[in-house]
Amino acid sequence: MRIHIIRLISIQFWKQSLQNKAVIFLLMILSLLFVFAAYTGWQDYKTQEDTRVKHQVDVRKQWEGKPDKHPHRMAHYGYLIFRARYPLSFFDYGLERYMGNSVFLEAHKQNTVNFSEAGFSSGMLRFGEVSTAMILQTLIPLFIFFLGFSCISAERENNTLKVLISQGVRWKELLAGKILGLLCLVGLVFVPVMILLVVMWFSLTDFKSTVDEFLRLFWIGGAYLIYFFIVCSVCVMVSAVSKTSRSSLVKLIGLWLLFIVIIPRTAQAFGAYLHPAPSKIDFDTNVENELVKTGDSHNPNDIYYQRIKDSLLHAYQVKTVEELPFNYSGYIMAEGEKISSGIYNRHWQKQLDIYEEQNSINRSLAFVNPFQAVKDLSAALTGSDFNSYINYQEQVEGYRYQLAQLMNKLQMENISNKKQQGNDKPYTISSDHWKELPDFQYRFIDQTTLFQNEMVSVISLLVWALGLLFVLHFMSKTIKIN
């Protein structure tokens, strides 16, 4: 192919498009939408993050400011954790509004992440929110289709296509020039959006951004460029095989509805139908029923824990628990925490397996639908996808278990085994021990794990791009002028 011919065709297409006042108007509307979406996302992230930090500091002060207490009382007093958002989540909300913002941690019980934005919003949220990623994923393809639906079909209708071909322009050069011209027009919007994204990202992190965030931003830009190339290629191909611009436009709008609306919605409903998940009530009931069978660690005469008591007395060669070198109740509480956590985690893993089967329907359709691929990859890179939410819950559960077992350890080491009499002062330990609980530090999914989770999406985008190059090469040899 001759590069200068491709460049001439793309420049000509560029000039013709910009002479159309409707195109200028659409560019202005899209620019305003991007500014609005970027600002509202930036403001929302900043407000929520400032609120989270403030309340998390207050929770820590309240925890450390508690007076001398029995450690098991502190375990039930509990701790409150607020979910941190990834800095780039202002770009793509993903599941952010449905994830919940805080979770209460206490001994022997795993609570859900509560107070999601969706829970406090009206039903309008089901129609989606105006985020930068949403505009790039759904509205930019429409913009491309509007620009390119007649890029070749109009040449055929005006009989200028025969002139171009007769003058020595090859089909490959014509197709490549039109695709390049479309990509350049999209770049008028996409490049400023990426610059705006970088500026807002720097402002949110006080210019202390990490290498991980920079790389994620780079992958986001690359993923959307591939996505736009796919959309532009499909648009030019449809226009090339259509005899009229009207039929080309109808086909492209039909493809947009199929890929953006019908397939994603159908896949979600189909996944839930094939792999139904238990409700929260059923889940909690199943966990509770199994917990009942394992005994009650708060009951010193429980049959199950009686066996543990007998084994301890035999191991330490003593007759009563008062003679043990540690607090017996604290030991039993620690054992009970291990058992209850194991039961919960086992049931939770079964629930996750069902969710994974549901999501696999959507994920597998990424090979059919590039919109699904870029949507999943974008949410993952901004830390607002399902895997990020599950990763957060797992880390919170680990921290809750650490809190409970720390209090049990303090009870074993600092509380006497002797039974209290009626007038005895309640057993307590110094409040200085509360500082031994470390702050919760949420660790976002590393990029290696992220790409392992989204390998299907990455491969799908690459397969689509390479496949379309092959199809374009094949079309250039078989396509007809009339």
Side-chain angles (χ1 to χ4, degrees):
M1 290 190 297
R2 294 164 294 180
I3 302 300
H4 68 283
I5 297 296
I6 296 174
R7 186 168 62 250
L8 284 174
I9 294 173
S10 65
I11 292 173
Q12 181 65 23
F13 180 76
W14 168 287
K15 289 180 179 179
Q16 287 179 350
S17 298
L18 293 182
Q19 288 174 357
N20 189 335
K21 293 182 179 179
V23 173
I24 303 298
F25 178 74
L26 277 177
L27 285 172
M28 292 176 60
I29 293 296
L30 282 173
S31 300
L32 290 174
L33 272 175
F34 276 121
V35 171
F36 171 77
Y39 175 75
T40 54
W42 175 84
Q43 185 65 35
D44 178 71
Y45 174 88
K46 192 174 184 301
T47 301
Q48 288 203 21
E49 191 64 11
D50 290 344
T51 303
R52 182 194 70 82
V53 171
K54 176 183 179 299
H55 288 308
Q56 198 65 72
V57 170
D58 291 342
V59 167
R60 185 68 190 184
K61 287 181 179 178
Q62 292 174 9
W63 172 267
E64 295 183 354
K66 284 298 175 182
D68 297 351
K69 281 181 178 287
H70 193 288
H72 195 67
R73 288 185 177 273
M74 283 298 289
H76 281 289
Y77 170 76
Y79 201 84
L80 194 62
I81 293 292
F82 297 92
R83 183 174 60 84
R85 291 175 56 180
Y86 196 79
L88 291 175
S89 62
F90 79 93
F91 167 77
D92 189 341
Y93 298 153
L95 298 176
E96 191 65 45
R97 294 296 184 259
Y98 303 90
M99 287 184 178
N101 294 309
S102 63
V103 55
F104 180 66
L105 313 180
E106 58 180 320
H108 315 305
K109 188 176 181 182
Q110 291 82 0
N111 296 311
T112 56
V113 186
N114 297 316
F115 305 111
S116 66
E117 294 296 319
F120 292 98
S121 68
S122 66
M124 290 298 292
L125 188 63
R126 74 185 64 178
F127 297 103
E129 296 178 287
V130 181
S131 68
T132 308
M134 185 277 286
I135 298 174
L136 290 174
Q137 293 165 12
T138 61
L139 297 187
I140 290 298
L142 267 182
F143 176 67
I144 292 172
F145 290 166
F146 173 77
L147 291 176
F149 75 94
S150 62
C151 63
I152 294 180
S153 59
E155 303 274 9
R156 180 179 284 113
E157 289 176 309
N158 298 330
N159 292 321
T160 54
L161 184 59
K162 292 181 180 179
V163 177
L164 285 173
I165 300 299
S166 64
Q167 288 179 343
V169 177
R170 301 167 187 166
W171 269 109
K172 279 187 181 179
E173 296 166 345
L174 180 61
L175 295 173
K178 298 293 186 179
I179 292 173
L180 180 60
L182 269 176
L183 279 174
C184 290
L185 286 170
V186 173
L188 286 175
V189 178
F190 183 62
V191 172
V193 166
M194 292 304 295
I195 294 173
L196 181 63
L197 177 62
V198 171
V199 172
M200 289 187 164
W201 164 53
F202 275 130
S203 68
L204 286 175
T205 57
D206 294 327
F207 298 91
K208 297 177 182 178
S209 303
T210 64
V211 176
D212 178 79
E213 293 168 7
F214 178 80
L215 285 175
R216 289 192 186 214
L217 192 60
F218 175 79
W219 297 127
I220 287 172
Y224 278 99
L225 278 177
I226 295 175
Y227 178 60
F228 295 147
F229 168 75
I230 292 170
V231 176
C232 289
S233 298
V234 170
C235 179
V236 172
M237 288 166 55
V238 171
S239 182
V241 299
S242 299
K243 292 185 177 181
T244 65
S245 297
R246 182 177 181 179
S247 64
S248 174
L249 181 60
V250 171
K251 293 172 186 175
L252 289 171
I253 291 177
L255 288 174
W256 184 87
L257 288 172
L258 180 67
F259 288 144
I260 306 295
V261 180
I262 298 175
I263 292 179
R265 301 295 182 186
T266 304
Q268 291 175 1
F270 193 59
Y273 174 77
L274 288 180
H275 309 286
S279 65
K280 187 178 184 304
I281 295 177
D282 292 333
F283 177 83
D284 291 340
T285 301
N286 293 334
V287 172
E288 188 63 30
N289 288 339
E290 190 167 346
L291 283 173
V292 170
K293 298 176 183 178
T294 62
D296 182 6
S297 59
H298 291 76
N299 181 8
N301 299 317
D302 189 274
I303 298 176
Y304 178 83
Y305 290 98
Q306 181 65 39
R307 294 196 293 269
I308 298 179
K309 175 182 175 181
D310 293 339
S311 63
L312 281 175
L313 295 179
H314 177 75
Y316 284 90
Q317 299 297 311
V318 294
K319 295 183 178 180
T320 63
V321 294
E322 286 80 4
E323 300 176 64
L324 291 171
F326 51 83
N327 182 270
Y328 170 72
S329 295
Y331 180 86
I332 290 299
M333 293 297 175
E335 290 298 311
E337 191 65 51
K338 288 180 184 178
I339 295 169
S340 61
S341 295
I343 291 173
Y344 175 85
N345 290 333
R346 187 165 61 254
H347 281 272
W348 178 239
Q349 187 56 53
K350 291 180 181 178
Q351 191 89 341
L352 288 182
D353 291 340
I354 296 175
Y355 291 150
E356 181 61 29
E357 290 174 341
Q358 291 179 353
N359 292 333
S360 66
I361 304 295
N362 253 339
R363 193 175 295 111
S364 61
L365 286 176
F367 288 105
V368 178
N369 186 4
F371 165 75
Q372 189 65 50
V374 77
K375 181 181 178 182
D376 291 344
L377 186 56
S378 177
L381 288 167
T382 55
S384 57
D385 63 325
F386 181 72
N387 289 320
S388 297
Y389 179 57
I390 297 305
N391 178 60
Y392 170 75
Q393 284 194 310
E394 290 174 349
Q395 291 187 37
V396 167
E397 170 55 20
Y399 185 78
R400 185 205 67 80
Y401 185 77
Q402 180 185 13
L403 181 154
Q405 295 298 54
L406 175 61
M407 295 300 107
N408 291 328
K409 179 174 177 289
L410 290 174
Q411 180 176 345
M412 290 172 62
E413 296 175 349
N414 300 284
I415 299 297
S416 173
N417 260 327
K418 295 182 180 179
K419 292 183 179 180
Q420 290 180 285
Q421 303 301 319
N423 297 325
D424 289 346
K425 182 181 178 180
Y427 289 137
T428 61
I429 61 174
S430 172
S431 60
D432 293 337
H433 289 291
W434 313 148
K435 298 179 181 179
E436 294 181 23
L437 178 70
D439 283 331
F440 175 72
Q441 299 293 334
Y442 177 46
R443 301 177 304 280
F444 293 100
I445 295 178
D446 62 89
Q447 290 195 38
T448 302
T449 305
L450 185 153
F451 281 109
Q452 287 176 350
N453 294 336
E454 298 300 329
M455 187 58 66
V456 172
S457 299
V458 175
I459 295 175
S460 169
L461 287 175
L462 295 177
V463 167
W464 265 92
L466 295 174
L468 285 172
L469 287 174
F470 175 78
V471 173
L472 287 168
H473 172 75
F474 179 78
M475 280 184 60
S476 65
K477 297 181 178 181
T478 59
I479 196 169
K480 297 179 181 179
I481 296 177
N482 295 322

